[in-house]
mmCIF file of all heavy atoms in Angstrom:
data_model
loop_
_atom_site.group_PDB
_atom_site.id
_atom_site.type_symbol
_atom_site.label_atom_id
_atom_site.label_comp_id
_atom_site.label_asym_id
_atom_site.label_seq_id
_atom_site.Cartn_x
_atom_site.Cartn_y
_atom_site.Cartn_z
ATOM 1 N N GLY S 59 -32.856 45.964 131.567
ATOM 2 C CA GLY S 59 -33.635 46.841 130.704
ATOM 3 C C GLY S 59 -34.044 46.153 129.414
ATOM 4 O O GLY S 59 -35.191 46.260 128.973
ATOM 5 N N ALA S 60 -33.095 45.422 128.818
ATOM 6 C CA ALA S 60 -33.381 44.693 127.579
ATOM 7 C C ALA S 60 -34.463 43.645 127.812
ATOM 8 O O ALA S 60 -35.343 43.443 126.967
ATOM 9 C CB ALA S 60 -32.107 44.039 127.051
ATOM 10 N N ASN S 61 -34.408 42.967 128.950
ATOM 11 C CA ASN S 61 -35.407 41.942 129.256
ATOM 12 C C ASN S 61 -36.804 42.538 129.380
ATOM 13 O O ASN S 61 -37.780 41.963 128.867
ATOM 14 C CB ASN S 61 -35.048 41.229 130.564
ATOM 15 C CG ASN S 61 -33.952 40.204 130.385
ATOM 16 O OD1 ASN S 61 -33.529 39.927 129.260
ATOM 17 N ND2 ASN S 61 -33.469 39.636 131.465
ATOM 18 N N ILE S 62 -36.918 43.685 130.064
ATOM 19 C CA ILE S 62 -38.221 44.316 130.221
ATOM 20 C C ILE S 62 -38.758 44.798 128.861
ATOM 21 O O ILE S 62 -39.925 44.578 128.523
ATOM 22 C CB ILE S 62 -38.144 45.507 131.199
ATOM 23 C CG1 ILE S 62 -37.683 45.048 132.585
ATOM 24 C CG2 ILE S 62 -39.497 46.211 131.292
ATOM 25 C CD1 ILE S 62 -38.619 44.061 133.257
ATOM 26 N N GLY S 63 -37.886 45.433 128.078
ATOM 27 C CA GLY S 63 -38.304 45.903 126.758
ATOM 28 C C GLY S 63 -38.722 44.766 125.851
ATOM 29 O O GLY S 63 -39.747 44.846 125.153
ATOM 30 N N ALA S 64 -37.948 43.683 125.852
ATOM 31 C CA ALA S 64 -38.275 42.519 125.023
ATOM 32 C C ALA S 64 -39.580 41.880 125.490
ATOM 33 O O ALA S 64 -40.386 41.407 124.676
ATOM 34 C CB ALA S 64 -37.136 41.501 125.079
ATOM 35 N N SER S 65 -39.813 41.868 126.801
ATOM 36 C CA SER S 65 -41.050 41.293 127.337
ATOM 37 C C SER S 65 -42.263 42.116 126.911
ATOM 38 O O SER S 65 -43.333 41.556 126.628
ATOM 39 C CB SER S 65 -40.983 41.216 128.871
ATOM 40 O OG SER S 65 -39.986 40.306 129.279
ATOM 41 N N ILE S 66 -42.097 43.443 126.858
ATOM 42 C CA ILE S 66 -43.191 44.297 126.371
ATOM 43 C C ILE S 66 -43.553 43.932 124.944
ATOM 44 O O ILE S 66 -44.728 43.735 124.599
ATOM 45 C CB ILE S 66 -42.787 45.789 126.469
ATOM 46 C CG1 ILE S 66 -42.700 46.217 127.938
ATOM 47 C CG2 ILE S 66 -43.801 46.664 125.712
ATOM 48 C CD1 ILE S 66 -42.108 47.606 128.139
ATOM 49 N N ASN S 67 -42.536 43.803 124.085
ATOM 50 C CA ASN S 67 -42.783 43.395 122.701
ATOM 51 C C ASN S 67 -43.455 42.030 122.628
ATOM 52 O O ASN S 67 -44.381 41.809 121.844
ATOM 53 C CB ASN S 67 -41.465 43.338 121.926
ATOM 54 C CG ASN S 67 -41.104 44.675 121.311
ATOM 55 O OD1 ASN S 67 -41.723 45.688 121.592
ATOM 56 N ND2 ASN S 67 -40.075 44.682 120.474
ATOM 57 N N TYR S 68 -42.967 41.104 123.437
ATOM 58 C CA TYR S 68 -43.485 39.736 123.442
ATOM 59 C C TYR S 68 -44.979 39.743 123.753
ATOM 60 O O TYR S 68 -45.783 39.130 123.031
ATOM 61 C CB TYR S 68 -42.712 38.905 124.467
ATOM 62 C CG TYR S 68 -43.282 37.526 124.712
ATOM 63 C CD1 TYR S 68 -42.840 36.428 123.981
ATOM 64 C CD2 TYR S 68 -44.262 37.322 125.683
ATOM 65 C CE1 TYR S 68 -43.366 35.161 124.211
ATOM 66 C CE2 TYR S 68 -44.789 36.058 125.921
ATOM 67 C CZ TYR S 68 -44.346 34.982 125.185
ATOM 68 O OH TYR S 68 -44.879 33.736 125.402
ATOM 69 N N PHE S 69 -45.374 40.424 124.818
ATOM 70 C CA PHE S 69 -46.776 40.399 125.244
ATOM 71 C C PHE S 69 -47.662 41.216 124.307
ATOM 72 O O PHE S 69 -48.834 40.860 124.108
ATOM 73 C CB PHE S 69 -46.898 40.882 126.687
ATOM 74 C CG PHE S 69 -46.439 39.862 127.688
ATOM 75 C CD1 PHE S 69 -45.305 40.076 128.453
ATOM 76 C CD2 PHE S 69 -47.129 38.669 127.839
ATOM 77 C CE1 PHE S 69 -44.870 39.124 129.361
ATOM 78 C CE2 PHE S 69 -46.705 37.709 128.755
ATOM 79 C CZ PHE S 69 -45.574 37.930 129.527
ATOM 80 N N VAL S 70 -47.136 42.292 123.739
ATOM 81 C CA VAL S 70 -47.900 43.035 122.739
ATOM 82 C C VAL S 70 -48.211 42.124 121.556
ATOM 83 O O VAL S 70 -49.362 42.052 121.088
ATOM 84 C CB VAL S 70 -47.136 44.291 122.278
ATOM 85 C CG1 VAL S 70 -47.772 44.884 121.021
ATOM 86 C CG2 VAL S 70 -47.113 45.335 123.383
ATOM 87 N N ALA S 71 -47.185 41.420 121.052
ATOM 88 C CA ALA S 71 -47.389 40.509 119.923
ATOM 89 C C ALA S 71 -48.336 39.375 120.295
ATOM 90 O O ALA S 71 -49.183 38.964 119.494
ATOM 91 C CB ALA S 71 -46.045 39.941 119.465
ATOM 92 N N LEU S 72 -48.209 38.892 121.514
ATOM 93 C CA LEU S 72 -49.040 37.763 121.971
ATOM 94 C C LEU S 72 -50.514 38.135 121.987
ATOM 95 O O LEU S 72 -51.373 37.337 121.597
ATOM 96 C CB LEU S 72 -48.584 37.336 123.372
ATOM 97 C CG LEU S 72 -49.299 36.146 124.020
ATOM 98 C CD1 LEU S 72 -49.005 34.862 123.269
ATOM 99 C CD2 LEU S 72 -48.887 36.019 125.486
#
Side-chain angles (χ1 to χ4, degrees):
N61 282 353
I62 300 298
S65 294
I66 291 171
N67 272 10
Y68 172 92
F69 285 113
V70 167
L72 182 67

